[in-house]
Amino acid sequence: DLPDLPGNVEHKQLYMAEIQKLLREIDQMGVSGWVLDLRRNSGGNMWPMLAGLGSLLGEGECLAMVSPWEKVPIFYRDGKVYTEERWEELAEKVANPYQLQHPLPPVAVLTSSQSTVSSGEFVVLAFRGRPRTRSFGEPTYGLPTGNASKELPDGAKIFLTSYWVADRAGNIFDGPIPPDQYVKVDWTCLGEDDDPVLQAALQWLRVEEGCQ
C-alpha cells in the first residue's frame, strides 16, 4: 500500500527507507506475485516513490514527461531514478538498493477515481506496459501532470504545470488513466478478504506463470 508523499527532505528519506524495508521483508517470505495498491496515493513527490519501488519496477526507461517542446524520459537503474543531466536536481537514489530474489515478478496495480492522483498517476504509468503487469480498479482522478520551476525577475520562483506524462510505449495521458480491468472500489472493505478490487487482482495473479 503505497501512500502519497508530502513533506520535506527528511520525509522522503524515511519514505524510501520504509519502502526498501517492506520490499525486503515481503520478498524474503518467498512471495511469487505482488499487489501494489495506489488507491489512496494522492500525489506529492514521485521521485522517491519510483526510486523506492525500483527493484519491483525493473530497470530502464519507465515513463516520460511530455510538453509541446520536448520529451523528458525517466529511467530507473541500480537504485536511482533520473532524467537527463540538466534535471539532475530531481534525481533520487536509494543507498544499497534491495534486489528481489526473483526479478520482474508479476505485479497487480490497484487504482481509484477518488484518490489516485498526480504523482500517484505517474507511478501507475511507470508500471503500465511493464511485462507481467495488470491494473485493476477504477480510472484514476485525471491529473497526471508535471511541474516546472520558473524564476521571476525579482528572484521569486513559480511552479507551473508544464508537462503531461507518457507511458513506456509513448502513449500520452492528459486525463484519467483507465485500468486494464475495471472493478468498482468499495471503500468499506479496503484490503479485507471481501475487497472486490483486491480479489480481482489475486485471481489474475493465481493463474500467472510461476505464481503459487
Side-chain angles (χ1 to χ4, degrees):
D1 183 7
L2 190 75
D4 49 20
L5 178 59
N8 56 27
V9 173
E10 181 183 359
H11 289 157
K12 70 181 182 180
Q13 295 301 326
L14 292 171
Y15 185 95
M16 290 189 291
E18 185 65 19
I19 295 176
Q20 290 286 293
K21 176 176 176 286
L22 289 171
L23 287 179
R24 182 181 299 104
E25 290 177 353
I26 295 171
D27 190 47
Q28 291 180 357
M29 294 177 185
V31 300
S32 52
W34 295 73
V35 176
L36 176 61
D37 195 343
L38 299 171
R39 287 178 290 179
R40 292 182 289 182
N41 189 316
S42 59
N45 190 341
M46 78 163 180
W47 302 92
M49 297 179 192
L50 296 177
L53 289 170
S55 59
L56 191 62
L57 180 62
E59 300 212 338
E61 182 179 343
C62 54
L63 72 164
M65 295 187 294
V66 180
S67 74
W69 54 87
E70 66 178 340
K71 173 185 175 183
V72 183
I74 298 172
F75 303 87
Y76 171 81
R77 285 193 180 92
D78 192 27
K80 183 178 182 179
V81 60
Y82 61 96
T83 64
E84 299 169 339
E85 184 176 350
R86 69 184 182 86
W87 291 73
E88 186 65 25
E89 72 275 8
L90 295 177
E92 289 291 349
K93 183 173 177 61
V94 173
N96 302 313
Y98 178 74
Q99 301 298 324
L100 298 178
Q101 297 181 70
H102 303 289
L104 211 63
V107 176
V109 178
L110 313 187
T111 62
S112 77
S113 297
Q114 177 179 317
S115 300
T116 308
V117 187
S118 190
S119 290
E121 293 172 287
F122 271 69
V123 179
V124 172
L125 289 177
F127 278 86
R128 193 179 184 92
R130 172 192 179 277
R132 310 187 76 191
T133 305
R134 187 170 176 81
S135 57
F136 301 83
E138 301 168 341
T140 62
Y141 189 83
L143 291 175
T145 55
N147 298 326
S149 172
K150 304 292 184 181
E151 187 166 347
L152 302 178
D154 63 357
K157 287 187 177 181
I158 185 171
F159 286 87
L160 297 176
T161 298
S162 306
Y163 296 91
W164 297 118
V165 63
D167 64 16
R168 60 185 71 199
N171 301 306
I172 299 173
F173 291 82
D174 59 0
I177 303 162
D180 295 312
Q181 182 175 331
Y182 175 82
V183 185
K184 183 173 176 56
V185 174
D186 184 345
W187 294 104
T188 66
C189 55
L190 192 74
E192 302 295 333
D193 289 341
D194 57 349
D195 182 337
V197 182
L198 179 59
Q199 286 305 314
L202 293 175
Q203 184 177 1
W204 171 73
L205 284 169
R206 290 188 185 108
V207 299
E208 274 294 289
E209 183 178 356
C211 272
Q212 300 174 357

